[in-house]
Amino acid sequence: MKRGVLINVSIVQKMIKRAVIYQLMTNFDEKLKTKEVQLTHRDLSEGTGRAETWFNNSFRNTEDLQISSFLRILAVANVSHKQKTDTEIDGAFLSDIFTSDVLETASAINEVSMENDAHLPDFVRSEKKLFQDLISYWGILSDNNKLDAAEDEVLKEIRKILNPDSDAEQEEDNE
């Protein structure tokens, strides 16, 4: 059996960070579309005093927003919510953005940071469900060219770790 690319803790952390940002921004985008808020990306950008494409670019490029930028976005959403419902956004609104999946993914960044490169494949196997879920996000990011070449290689390696039989089947098919 051929040894694949060694997966690297720092690359996996970066990939998990991309996934959690994607999750969070997607959840936030869904909240912006609700009848209680009804904000376009342009409305949100302009409401924060930024160029009209700022939020859309941040959303599409899964940028890691600063806390101050995130708070400015929440403030604009709150104003719109208050105009439409006479109430401010509440904990339920925030819970729809900061879901248990988002928090679990964020926790994975911490857990991976405690591993070393040599033990990372064992960690991936021990957290199979988490990494299977992450693979779906990474697949979307890869399809949208949001992963670099090293990250795409690590994605392939993690898929091999989680599905070692698929490699054996492919090798048998090639014989």
Side-chain angles (χ1 to χ4, degrees):
M1 183 172 149
K2 282 194 297 188
R3 173 92 176 138
V5 175
L6 181 65
I7 57 176
N8 177 288
V9 168
S10 63
I11 294 173
V12 174
Q13 283 177 304
K14 185 175 155 187
M15 292 171 66
I16 295 171
K17 182 178 166 184
R18 287 186 195 272
V20 76
I21 291 168
Y22 177 82
Q23 290 172 315
L24 187 77
M25 294 295 277
T26 300
N27 292 349
F28 199 31
D29 187 53
E30 289 300 313
K31 291 304 289 182
L32 295 173
K33 295 174 184 175
T34 63
K35 67 180 180 177
E36 295 85 11
V37 180
Q38 294 178 333
L39 285 172
T40 66
H41 291 183
R42 177 178 290 179
D43 295 334
L44 198 59
S45 295
E46 291 173 349
T48 60
R50 305 254 172 84
E52 63 184 33
T53 59
W54 172 77
F55 184 79
N56 192 53
N57 291 339
S58 296
F59 176 71
R60 298 277 177 245
N61 294 318
T62 58
E63 290 178 12
D64 190 358
L65 297 174
Q66 293 182 358
I67 292 172
S68 58
S69 295
F70 188 75
L71 291 173
R72 288 171 70 178
I73 293 167
L74 277 176
V76 172
N78 189 51
V79 167
S80 182
H81 190 276
K82 196 169 184 176
Q83 288 172 345
K84 291 176 178 47
T85 66
D86 290 328
T87 63
E88 294 187 349
I89 57 176
D90 58 10
F93 182 95
L94 295 173
S95 291
D96 289 344
I97 297 170
F98 293 98
T99 62
S100 59
D101 287 343
V102 168
L103 297 175
E104 182 179 343
T105 303
S107 293
I109 297 169
N110 296 337
E111 293 171 18
V112 166
S113 69
M114 292 185 262
E115 297 297 322
N116 64 45
D117 293 346
H119 294 110
L120 200 49
D122 291 333
F123 178 75
V124 169
R125 283 185 208 94
S126 73
E127 297 292 333
K128 186 173 184 171
K129 183 187 177 329
L130 170 69
F131 280 91
Q132 286 173 330
D133 292 345
L134 286 170
I135 282 175
S136 64
Y137 292 109
W138 292 332
I140 293 167
L141 293 168
S142 181
D143 290 347
N144 291 319
N145 298 314
K146 301 300 177 194
L147 297 182
D148 63 28
E151 292 167 333
D152 274 327
E153 286 302 313
V154 168
L155 174 55
K156 289 177 192 171
E157 188 67 18
I158 290 174
R159 283 181 172 144
K160 288 179 192 174
I161 290 167
L162 294 175
N163 299 305
D165 296 335
S166 66
D167 256 6
E169 290 170 10
Q170 284 180 352
E171 286 178 18
E172 287 175 11
D173 291 343
N174 292 336
E175 291 179 356

